[in-house]
Amino acid sequence: MLDFQAILNAIYNKGIAAKNKGTVATYIPELAEVDINNFGIHLRTAQGEEFGVGDDNKLFSIQSISKVLALSKAMALIGEDIWKRVDVEPSGDPFNHLSQLELENGIPRNPLINSGAIVISDILISNLKNPKEDFLSYIRDLAGDESIQYNLDVANSEKATGFKNYAAAYLLKSFKNLQNPVEEVLDFYFHQCAIEMTCSQLTKTFFFLSNQGKCILNKVHLRKSQAKRINAIMLTCGFYDEAGEFAFEVGLPGKSGVGGGIVALLPDQFVITCWSPGLNAKGNSKLGMLALEEFTTQTKLSIF
Amino acid sequence: MLDFQAILNAIYNKGIAAKNKGTVATYIPELAEVDINNFGIHLRTAQGEEFGVGDDNKLFSIQSISKVLALSKAMALIGEDIWKRVDVEPSGDPFNHLSQLELENGIPRNPLINSGAIVISDILISNLKNPKEDFLSYIRDLAGDESIQYNLDVANSEKATGFKNYAAAYLLKSFKNLQNPVEEVLDFYFHQCAIEMTCSQLTKTFFFLSNQGKCILNKVHLRKSQAKRINAIMLTCGFYDEAGEFAFEVGLPGKSGVGGGIVALLPDQFVITCWSPGLNAKGNSKLGMLALEEFTTQTKLSIF
Amino acid sequence: MLDFQAILNAIYNKGIAAKNKGTVATYIPELAEVDINNFGIHLRTAQGEEFGVGDDNKLFSIQSISKVLALSKAMALIGEDIWKRVDVEPSGDPFNHLSQLELENGIPRNPLINSGAIVISDILISNLKNPKEDFLSYIRDLAGDESIQYNLDVANSEKATGFKNYAAAYLLKSFKNLQNPVEEVLDFYFHQCAIEMTCSQLTKTFFFLSNQGKCILNKVHLRKSQAKRINAIMLTCGFYDEAGEFAFEVGLPGKSGVGGGIVALLPDQFVITCWSPGLNAKGNSKLGMLALEEFTTQTKLSIF
Amino acid sequence: MLDFQAILNAIYNKGIAAKNKGTVATYIPELAEVDINNFGIHLRTAQGEEFGVGDDNKLFSIQSISKVLALSKAMALIGEDIWKRVDVEPSGDPFNHLSQLELENGIPRNPLINSGAIVISDILISNLKNPKEDFLSYIRDLAGDESIQYNLDVANSEKATGFKNYAAAYLLKSFKNLQNPVEEVLDFYFHQCAIEMTCSQLTKTFFFLSNQGKCILNKVHLRKSQAKRINAIMLTCGFYDEAGEFAFEVGLPGKSGVGGGIVALLPDQFVITCWSPGLNAKGNSKLGMLALEEFTTQTKLSIF
């Protein structure tokens, strides 16, 4: 039987000793100021056992990882109608994100790139009474943890500098793929990105996707087939330009964020969250990627 | 010697009898409501003789034709520094306008496409005390006509529907090629597009570009070399995706607008303005293009 | 326990009754002449049980399915060095296949698109004594079946009409990503596409990828980690522009060909091959796609 | 009155003293070996006066300048039918030349980029008895000089290394925009590029385009309107990615070649040829571009 704690410890020790820990994102001060030496890993098995190491109880900005949660909420609310407005294909290069959106007439490639997540935010606004409050409640329910919060400083900084997201939102609007006002949609979108969690909280939150739609409190949040589909989308689209590489090297559905977090899971087996703020050239956590490669190499646990 | 009046009359009669007059722009009500049967032509020679036919004294929305005037004002204000922020190459397809801007790192291809004109608007705001008032004064000076106005309904409609321009402006901002706030820059930009003139006024206004920089009142607005350069830009970039076609079929520097106006000129010889609101598939006035082809074919007056 | 034979029979009956069976590929006569009513399915479990229905013993042109076999041979020969010349990311739109190759400096997105497979062919030529003979032997070994052949008429037709593949090969050559002469590389590539197999043979051939690298005769052809990686590539890149859709709807690694074949597999569980020559709008077998969706929906067997 | 000889002498002296003379093309040995210090200028007025300086009687490879002559021959042969197969719009970036051709369904942007010139070669082959002989005769007729030749070493070197041209030709073939075999078309195309002339010969050859279609021997080779159209195409498309810049800085129709030659002309006034093998970053002769800027600045002779 696998000794998960020993495996995580070994991975942590190897990671923390690495000379090159990548580069912390600097486009907003709240991310730029995070200490690059942070490194945490947290694992939860299908049986509910938990294992952690390092900074797995420190809060960090989950950033794009929130896109998976927004998608799952939208799927719960309107089901297959989502796919009239967003596709499910991998997107390739992030550097020409707007070009692709323009060439494809305002239909984002998938819900895990910025333009797709902006459309999902628009869907949530049209279907929730109090979008920001209701979405936060949803996350808290998934995690079984009422302490989870938006970091308002982060939300405001994103809003003040997120010009490319404004460009994407207006382009969507020009193609009539945004029903609510751009300012309102982006305010909600930037708040989602600004949710803070620990590795431990994030692992609990994502448990439902490894558990056929049922959260840690055993409440059904998605149908089994819906959870499977979100996993398929994470596998093909969860890592920007490195989605193929992640499937190739790690072989798990997962999602990364520019705050340095990565969540990955093996259906019916486990959820694992890594966090280290230094990013590699493709914008994914450097130590996080290495940790997950190491983890699946050592445990032989992957979907392939 | 050429009998310009007879030539214009013949062109007018042929045009007004055409069955297919193109399609009026419909994205804002102010343009959609214009009668497609309007057709006017006005010519002014270097010697100051004027010839007109049809609706050459009706006001219309000059739209993108204003981009040439904004460029000439910016050139007068800051000279060669413009070219640090905008290129002078033809742009090709307008359908992927944002793609090109993104691939080329926020440097617009030329000042006569929307993104380029938005940068020029930003330059003018940074260099004029009261941008809207000062720019209108500039136009009135060029035309020698104090009656020229912004149409505020048009400006407001453009603002309410111009999402793709917002997308372009935010994309420019994301590449740090916009110094003033997007809202302020676009408000000014949409006002420029909303200037109304008649064929007769527009011909007078553009006279300085055919006259080595000196306007009809003989005041110097540009150096000779600057006027030449604007003419070169009009020739290579003045007709969206039809710039090559226009050079090929007409052979004059010129600029069209979605309101159905076209101004063209032969240096040291004449300025001609056509207006008919029906557009061809490339977004240029259908009768206007035919009129100019006919005019240069009959008179043999072109730069080639 | 699942009654695979009953499930396959039901899927076959539903498929054969479908009014719209897609459109047969017409670019070469050998494909155009295939009867659209052909429909076969063949399944083999990890335990070696086999189930078949319909035309699962008729030969068809495996076309792009051969790309997976060429990749596995190249991986066996030179291992990780492949990835210096081909990437592993999904490619998106096939309509601008050459554009992407040009923008990305001659490095194909992955080995399962044409340009990538052409590079793999080049690698095989450089590493095999008699490329065509050796590759056919490899396939025969995998399938345990000496009767498998190239269809030379198909190979010749491909060669006579495959201008876009010539364009891709010369573009690769211009980027120095082809070591052997274009004619020689494409001759080999077109032969690979022209291999003929039945559903039953193809299922046996692909068994090694579901079996940690060991073929039906228990011979090791790839290391376990290599087989996993090919599965990861099939999942993210195996279905042209429909890779995300296939992962989303079916959830199995697989590969389709323009001859109407599709192979898919669940590691350690089964391999399934469908064949029906009518294609959907994205170029994948229409009945084949529906059959696999139905199969994973009914059996709940997928990687997610 | 202008003293052309003095002006040319001054420009020559300034150019030859320049420290940075650009970079000689190195993709074939025949070009790589040319001495970078070569610099010649030759001018011929409408009245037949000729002025020369420097190496204006040394042979060089005219390369892409031949595209204008192939176009004029095709226009003489089939007239407006050319435009069913090639467009007349500027092309922008050469770096994604194939991408554009693919996105625009095999219709080259204009006849002065490689793909367009390949289509023109195809047209000539279909309309000439002995394409290579007949085309050389045509050039000799234009120049009034029987000594003009193909350089067969250059033609062979181009053929052995021109992979991107093969890619373009096969892409054209895949879009059915090439009627003759690729090998035959490119053999002819590479021969055209391999014509050698002196500045003096090239000036004479191009005289007909400045002279309403009549060559130096007063023979009509094109109708006046056809000569005008070729001039329009040269202005908008003659300098790759620097067409707008050339129109802006020089203001003359012209064409450059990678051998370092540039021809430019002012209708009814003069033809001027410069040659210096060092190229600037955009692939146009560095001294040649500077010489023409200087010439039009000093003489005030431009079309604008």
Side-chain angles (χ1 to χ4, degrees):
Chain A
M1 210 192 133
L2 292 163
D3 180 347
F4 284 126
Q5 189 62 50
I7 292 169
L8 296 193
N9 290 349
I11 293 171
Y12 175 81
N13 289 330
K14 194 169 167 185
I16 207 69
K19 278 187 187 155
N20 180 351
K21 297 194 171 87
T23 311
V24 174
T26 56
Y27 69 98
I28 58 170
E30 290 77 9
L31 293 181
E33 287 158 10
V34 178
D35 182 354
I36 196 169
N37 293 307
N38 281 296
F39 186 27
I41 314 178
H42 195 92
L43 174 85
R44 182 188 173 101
T45 67
Q47 293 73 36
E49 290 173 294
E50 298 201 29
F51 306 90
V53 67
D55 304 307
D56 67 328
N57 281 310
K58 272 197 197 164
L59 289 171
F60 63 90
S61 192
I62 71 168
Q63 293 290 327
S64 289
I65 298 173
S66 65
K67 291 176 169 70
V68 178
L69 303 169
L71 170 62
S72 69
K73 185 67 189 170
M75 225 184 226
L77 286 167
I78 69 163
E80 300 294 308
D81 284 351
I82 291 172
W83 313 118
K84 294 175 187 164
R85 296 177 57 190
V86 193
D87 205 345
V88 293
E89 295 301 324
S91 72
D93 318 279
F95 82 88
N96 65 350
H97 178 190
L98 284 194
S99 308
Q100 202 169 54
L101 185 60
E102 187 178 36
L103 282 169
E104 298 179 359
N105 300 310
I107 301 297
R109 269 295 174 94
N110 65 66
L112 301 187
I113 52 172
N114 289 11
S115 57
I118 291 169
V119 170
I120 299 293
S121 296
D122 187 53
I123 290 173
L124 292 179
I125 288 175
S126 297
N127 288 280
L128 293 174
K129 250 192 193 147
N130 303 299
K132 281 190 273 192
E133 292 77 358
D134 297 352
F135 185 67
L136 194 55
S137 295
Y138 173 67
I139 308 280
R140 289 170 170 179
D141 280 1
L142 288 173
D145 187 334
E146 291 298 303
S147 72
I148 296 167
Q149 294 283 2
Y150 295 119
N151 180 323
L152 299 185
D153 290 342
V154 171
N156 288 330
S157 284
E158 301 274 4
K159 207 187 292 192
T161 59
F163 301 124
K164 205 153 183 182
N165 287 314
Y166 279 92
Y170 276 110
L171 189 53
L172 288 165
K173 192 91 181 165
S174 79
F175 283 111
K176 302 191 193 305
N177 199 6
L178 220 57
Q179 292 167 354
N180 299 286
V182 165
E183 293 289 339
E184 189 181 345
V185 175
L186 288 182
D187 177 64
F188 182 35
Y189 170 77
F190 288 135
H191 272 78
Q192 293 165 36
C193 295
I195 288 172
E196 284 188 333
M197 291 202 228
T198 66
C199 290
S200 166
Q201 289 172 325
L202 206 41
T203 299
K204 288 186 190 73
T205 306
F206 268 70
F207 184 77
F208 78 119
L209 291 172
S210 75
N211 192 36
Q212 312 193 357
K214 278 183 285 184
C215 73
I216 55 168
L217 301 175
N218 228 24
K219 188 178 152 195
V220 174
H221 286 272
L222 286 180
R223 289 198 308 278
K224 185 181 172 179
S225 65
Q226 292 177 319
K228 279 178 55 173
R229 287 176 167 207
I230 290 181
N231 290 336
I233 295 171
M234 283 200 286
L235 191 86
T236 50
C237 315
F239 290 84
Y240 310 108
D241 208 22
E242 216 173 3
E245 188 72 17
F246 192 77
F248 183 79
E249 296 283 357
V250 177
L252 295 176
K255 183 75 198 86
S256 67
V258 76
I262 304 181
V263 189
L265 59 89
L266 184 60
D268 304 320
Q269 307 260 353
F270 65 84
V271 182
I272 185 167
T273 304
C274 302
W275 170 54
S276 177
L279 308 178
N280 66 17
K282 305 258 180 170
N284 299 310
S285 171
K286 192 169 172 69
L287 294 190
M289 294 295 275
L290 294 175
L292 289 167
E293 275 178 52
E294 193 74 19
F295 182 79
T296 53
T297 301
Q298 287 193 27
T299 62
K300 316 277 184 220
L301 292 168
S302 94
I303 59 171
F304 295 114
Chain B
M1 211 194 132
L2 291 164
D3 180 347
F4 285 126
Q5 190 62 49
I7 292 169
L8 297 192
N9 291 347
I11 293 172
Y12 175 81
N13 289 331
K14 193 168 168 189
I16 207 69
K19 279 187 186 155
N20 180 350
K21 296 194 171 86
T23 311
V24 174
T26 56
Y27 69 99
I28 58 169
E30 289 78 9
L31 294 181
E33 287 158 9
V34 177
D35 182 354
I36 196 169
N37 292 306
N38 280 297
F39 186 28
I41 315 177
H42 195 91
L43 174 84
R44 181 189 174 100
T45 67
Q47 293 72 37
E49 290 173 295
E50 299 201 28
F51 307 88
V53 67
D55 305 306
D56 68 329
N57 283 308
K58 273 196 199 165
L59 288 170
F60 64 90
S61 190
I62 71 166
Q63 294 289 328
S64 289
I65 298 172
S66 65
K67 292 177 168 68
V68 178
L69 303 168
L71 170 62
S72 69
K73 185 66 187 168
M75 227 185 225
L77 286 167
I78 69 163
E80 300 294 307
D81 284 350
I82 291 173
W83 313 118
K84 296 175 187 165
R85 295 179 56 189
V86 194
D87 205 346
V88 293
E89 295 301 323
S91 72
D93 315 282
F95 82 88
N96 65 351
H97 179 190
L98 284 195
S99 308
Q100 202 169 54
L101 184 60
E102 188 179 36
L103 281 169
E104 298 178 0
N105 301 312
I107 301 297
R109 271 295 173 93
N110 64 67
L112 301 187
I113 53 172
N114 290 11
S115 57
I118 290 169
V119 169
I120 298 294
S121 297
D122 186 54
I123 290 172
L124 292 178
I125 288 175
S126 298
N127 288 280
L128 293 174
K129 251 195 193 143
N130 303 298
K132 282 191 272 193
E133 293 75 358
D134 296 353
F135 185 67
L136 194 55
S137 295
Y138 174 68
I139 308 280
R140 288 170 171 178
D141 279 3
L142 288 173
D145 187 333
E146 291 298 304
S147 73
I148 295 168
Q149 294 284 0
Y150 296 119
N151 180 324
L152 299 184
D153 291 340
V154 171
N156 288 329
S157 285
E158 301 275 3
K159 206 186 294 191
T161 60
F163 302 122
K164 205 154 182 181
N165 287 315
Y166 279 92
Y170 276 109
L171 189 53
L172 289 165
K173 191 91 180 164
S174 78
F175 283 110
K176 303 194 193 306
N177 199 5
L178 221 57
Q179 292 167 354
N180 299 286
V182 165
E183 293 290 338
E184 189 180 346
V185 175
L186 287 182
D187 177 64
F188 181 35
Y189 171 76
F190 288 135
H191 272 78
Q192 292 165 35
C193 293
I195 288 172
E196 285 188 334
M197 290 201 227
T198 66
C199 290
S200 166
Q201 290 172 325
L202 206 42
T203 298
K204 288 186 190 71
T205 305
F206 269 70
F207 184 75
F208 78 119
L209 291 172
S210 76
N211 193 38
Q212 312 194 357
K214 278 182 285 183
C215 73
I216 55 169
L217 302 174
N218 229 23
K219 189 179 153 195
V220 174
H221 286 272
L222 287 180
R223 289 197 308 276
K224 185 181 174 181
S225 66
Q226 291 177 318
K228 277 178 56 175
R229 287 176 167 207
I230 290 181
N231 291 337
I233 294 171
M234 283 201 285
L235 191 86
T236 50
C237 315
F239 290 85
Y240 310 108
D241 207 24
E242 217 173 5
E245 188 73 17
F246 192 77
F248 183 78
E249 297 282 358
V250 177
L252 296 176
K255 182 75 197 86
S256 67
V258 78
I262 305 180
V263 189
L265 60 88
L266 185 59
D268 304 320
Q269 307 261 351
F270 65 83
V271 181
I272 185 168
T273 304
C274 301
W275 170 55
S276 177
L279 307 178
N280 66 18
K282 305 259 180 168
N284 299 310
S285 171
K286 192 170 173 69
L287 294 191
M289 294 294 274
L290 294 175
L292 288 167
E293 274 179 53
E294 194 74 19
F295 181 79
T296 53
T297 301
Q298 287 193 27
T299 62
K300 315 278 184 216
L301 292 167
S302 94
I303 60 170
F304 296 112
Chain C
M1 209 194 134
L2 291 164
D3 180 347
F4 285 126
Q5 189 63 50
I7 292 168
L8 296 192
N9 290 348
I11 292 171
Y12 175 81
N13 289 330
K14 194 168 166 188
I16 206 70
K19 279 189 186 154
N20 180 350
K21 297 194 172 86
T23 311
V24 174
T26 56
Y27 69 99
I28 57 170
E30 290 77 10
L31 293 181
E33 287 158 9
V34 178
D35 182 354
I36 196 169
N37 292 306
N38 281 297
F39 185 27
I41 314 178
H42 195 91
L43 174 84
R44 181 189 174 101
T45 67
Q47 292 73 36
E49 291 173 294
E50 299 201 27
F51 306 90
V53 67
D55 304 307
D56 68 329
N57 282 308
K58 272 196 200 166
L59 289 170
F60 63 90
S61 190
I62 71 166
Q63 294 289 329
S64 289
I65 298 172
S66 66
K67 292 178 168 70
V68 178
L69 303 168
L71 170 62
S72 69
K73 185 66 188 167
M75 227 185 224
L77 287 166
I78 68 163
E80 301 295 308
D81 283 351
I82 291 172
W83 313 118
K84 295 175 188 165
R85 296 178 56 190
V86 193
D87 205 345
V88 292
E89 295 301 323
S91 72
D93 316 282
F95 82 88
N96 65 350
H97 179 190
L98 284 195
S99 309
Q100 202 170 54
L101 185 60
E102 187 178 36
L103 282 169
E104 298 177 1
N105 301 311
I107 301 297
R109 271 293 174 95
N110 65 66
L112 302 188
I113 53 172
N114 290 11
S115 57
I118 291 168
V119 169
I120 298 295
S121 296
D122 187 53
I123 290 173
L124 291 179
I125 289 175
S126 297
N127 288 280
L128 293 174
K129 251 194 194 144
N130 303 298
K132 283 190 273 193
E133 292 75 0
D134 296 352
F135 185 67
L136 193 56
S137 294
Y138 173 67
I139 308 280
R140 288 170 171 179
D141 279 1
L142 287 173
D145 187 332
E146 291 298 305
S147 73
I148 296 167
Q149 295 282 1
Y150 295 119
N151 180 324
L152 300 184
D153 290 342
V154 171
N156 287 330
S157 285
E158 301 275 3
K159 206 186 294 192
T161 60
F163 302 123
K164 205 154 182 182
N165 287 315
Y166 279 92
Y170 276 109
L171 189 53
L172 289 165
K173 192 91 181 163
S174 78
F175 283 110
K176 303 193 193 305
N177 199 5
L178 220 58
Q179 292 167 354
N180 298 286
V182 165
E183 293 290 339
E184 189 181 346
V185 175
L186 287 182
D187 177 64
F188 181 34
Y189 171 76
F190 288 135
H191 272 78
Q192 293 165 36
C193 294
I195 289 172
E196 285 188 333
M197 290 203 228
T198 66
C199 289
S200 166
Q201 290 172 324
L202 206 41
T203 298
K204 287 187 192 71
T205 306
F206 269 70
F207 184 77
F208 78 119
L209 291 172
S210 76
N211 192 38
Q212 313 194 356
K214 278 182 285 184
C215 72
I216 54 168
L217 301 174
N218 229 25
K219 188 179 152 196
V220 174
H221 286 272
L222 286 181
R223 289 199 308 278
K224 184 180 174 183
S225 65
Q226 291 177 318
K228 278 178 56 175
R229 286 175 168 207
I230 290 181
N231 291 337
I233 295 170
M234 283 201 285
L235 191 86
T236 50
C237 315
F239 291 85
Y240 310 108
D241 207 23
E242 216 172 6
E245 188 72 18
F246 192 76
F248 183 79
E249 297 282 357
V250 176
L252 296 176
K255 183 74 196 85
S256 67
V258 78
I262 305 181
V263 189
L265 60 89
L266 184 58
D268 305 319
Q269 307 259 351
F270 66 83
V271 181
I272 185 168
T273 304
C274 301
W275 170 54
S276 177
L279 307 179
N280 67 16
K282 305 259 180 167
N284 298 310
S285 171
K286 192 172 174 68
L287 295 190
M289 293 295 274
L290 294 175
L292 289 168
E293 274 179 52
E294 194 74 19
F295 181 79
T296 53
T297 301
Q298 287 192 27
T299 60
K300 316 277 184 218
L301 292 167
S302 94
I303 59 170
F304 296 112
Chain D
M1 210 192 134
L2 292 164
D3 180 348
F4 285 124
Q5 189 62 49
I7 292 169
L8 296 191
N9 291 348
I11 293 171
Y12 175 81
N13 289 331
K14 194 169 167 186
I16 207 69
K19 279 188 187 155
N20 180 351
K21 297 194 172 87
T23 311
V24 173
T26 56
Y27 69 99
I28 58 171
E30 289 78 8
L31 293 182
E33 288 159 9
V34 177
D35 181 354
I36 196 169
N37 293 307
N38 281 296
F39 186 28
I41 315 177
H42 195 93
L43 174 85
R44 182 190 173 101
T45 67
Q47 292 73 37
E49 289 173 295
E50 299 201 28
F51 305 90
V53 67
D55 305 306
D56 67 329
N57 282 310
K58 273 198 199 164
L59 289 170
F60 62 92
S61 191
I62 70 167
Q63 294 289 328
S64 289
I65 298 172
S66 65
K67 292 176 169 69
V68 178
L69 303 168
L71 170 63
S72 70
K73 184 66 189 169
M75 225 184 225
L77 287 167
I78 69 164
E80 300 295 308
D81 284 351
I82 291 173
W83 314 118
K84 295 175 187 164
R85 296 178 56 189
V86 194
D87 205 346
V88 291
E89 295 301 324
S91 72
D93 317 279
F95 82 88
N96 65 350
H97 179 190
L98 283 195
S99 308
Q100 201 169 54
L101 185 60
E102 188 178 35
L103 282 169
E104 299 179 359
N105 301 310
I107 301 297
R109 270 294 174 94
N110 64 67
L112 301 188
I113 53 172
N114 289 12
S115 57
I118 291 169
V119 169
I120 298 294
S121 296
D122 186 55
I123 290 172
L124 292 179
I125 289 175
S126 298
N127 288 280
L128 292 174
K129 250 194 194 143
N130 303 298
K132 283 190 273 193
E133 292 76 358
D134 296 354
F135 185 67
L136 193 56
S137 295
Y138 174 67
I139 308 281
R140 289 170 170 178
D141 279 3
L142 288 173
D145 187 334
E146 291 299 303
S147 73
I148 296 168
Q149 294 283 1
Y150 296 118
N151 179 324
L152 299 185
D153 291 340
V154 171
N156 288 330
S157 285
E158 301 274 4
K159 207 187 292 192
T161 59
F163 301 124
K164 206 153 181 181
N165 287 315
Y166 278 93
Y170 276 109
L171 189 53
L172 289 165
K173 192 90 180 165
S174 79
F175 283 111
K176 303 191 193 306
N177 199 5
L178 219 57
Q179 291 166 355
N180 298 287
V182 165
E183 294 290 338
E184 189 180 346
V185 175
L186 287 182
D187 178 63
F188 181 35
Y189 170 76
F190 290 134
H191 272 79
Q192 292 165 36
C193 294
I195 288 173
E196 285 188 333
M197 290 203 229
T198 66
C199 290
S200 166
Q201 289 172 324
L202 206 41
T203 298
K204 287 186 191 73
T205 306
F206 269 70
F207 184 76
F208 77 118
L209 291 172
S210 75
N211 192 37
Q212 312 194 357
K214 278 182 285 185
C215 72
I216 55 168
L217 301 174
N218 229 23
K219 188 179 154 194
V220 174
H221 286 271
L222 286 180
R223 289 199 308 277
K224 184 181 174 180
S225 65
Q226 291 177 319
K228 278 178 55 173
R229 287 174 167 207
I230 291 181
N231 290 336
I233 295 171
M234 282 200 285
L235 191 85
T236 51
C237 315
F239 291 85
Y240 311 108
D241 208 22
E242 217 173 5
E245 188 72 18
F246 192 77
F248 183 80
E249 296 283 357
V250 177
L252 295 176
K255 182 76 198 83
S256 67
V258 77
I262 304 181
V263 188
L265 60 88
L266 185 59
D268 303 322
Q269 307 261 353
F270 66 84
V271 181
I272 184 169
T273 304
C274 302
W275 170 55
S276 177
L279 308 179
N280 66 17
K282 306 256 180 170
N284 299 310
S285 171
K286 193 170 171 71
L287 294 191
M289 294 295 275
L290 294 175
L292 288 167
E293 274 178 53
E294 193 74 19
F295 182 79
T296 53
T297 301
Q298 287 193 27
T299 61
K300 316 277 184 219
L301 291 168
S302 94
I303 60 171
F304 296 114

